């Protein structure tokens, strides 16, 4: 299945009115387009198109700080809803690993 993924669809800061498609408990805080791309690729989904400067038309009436740019067209064996939940989980995992790696560095 091919579908478009906007960062706003998995952003926990946004209400469903502005395009969030997953539950707030599943959503991620301020996901970047690069995090979404990395997570999708790790999960074996194929990124068909990547446009980092594109802005979701649904976000035109919202604060500048909540507007996240970027659009991905993804090919996945799963439906869009399941794919988005899997991407959110993977982003959380990647962020946790990143935090752990930064915590291990010695302070001088």
């Amino acid at each position: 299945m091919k579908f478009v993924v906007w960062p706003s669809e998995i952003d926990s800061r946004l209400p469903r009115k502005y395009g969030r498609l997953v539950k707030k408990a599943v959503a991620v805080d301020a996901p970047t387009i690069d995090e979404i791309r990395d997570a999708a690729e790790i999960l074996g989904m194929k990124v068909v198109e990547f446009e980092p400067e594109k802005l979701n038309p649904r976000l035109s009436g919202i604060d500048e700080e909540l507007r996240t740019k970027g659009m991905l067209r993804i090919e996945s064996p799963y439906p869009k809803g399941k794919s988005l939940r899997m991407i959110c989980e993977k982003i959380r995992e990647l962020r946790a690993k990143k935090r752990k790696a930064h915590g291990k560095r010695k302070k001088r």
Side-chain angles (χ1 to χ4, degrees):
M1 305 180 109
K2 282 186 188 176
F3 50 84
V4 171
V5 176
W6 300 93
S8 59
E9 293 175 339
I10 61 170
D11 194 337
S12 64
R13 303 173 302 164
L14 298 175
R16 287 194 183 255
K17 173 182 174 182
Y18 288 110
R20 181 172 47 84
L21 295 180
V22 297
K23 291 180 181 179
K24 201 165 195 140
V26 175
V28 181
D29 187 50
T32 66
I33 196 70
D34 292 320
E35 284 179 320
I36 296 169
R37 183 185 58 194
D38 293 345
E41 287 173 347
I42 290 169
L43 291 166
M45 299 174 194
K46 184 179 176 191
V47 177
V48 180
E49 188 179 345
F50 177 70
E51 292 192 37
E53 290 304 310
K54 204 159 195 168
L55 185 62
N56 188 337
R58 268 191 155 169
L59 301 179
S60 60
I62 197 168
D63 291 346
E64 191 69 38
E65 66 194 41
L66 295 177
R67 291 184 193 176
T68 46
K69 287 188 175 182
M71 184 274 292
L72 290 168
R73 190 174 312 275
I74 288 179
E75 195 174 313
S76 170
Y78 309 104
K80 184 171 182 172
K82 182 172 182 169
S83 296
L84 291 177
R85 288 191 298 275
M86 290 168 66
I87 287 170
C88 288
E89 255 179 58
K90 187 54 74 175
I91 289 174
R92 252 194 225 94
E93 229 176 81
L94 294 171
R95 286 181 177 180
K97 281 183 186 176
K98 202 177 214 180
R99 270 196 303 273
K100 217 175 199 180
H102 283 298
K104 287 183 180 176
R105 290 188 180 154
K106 290 182 180 178
K107 293 180 181 178
R108 291 181 183 190

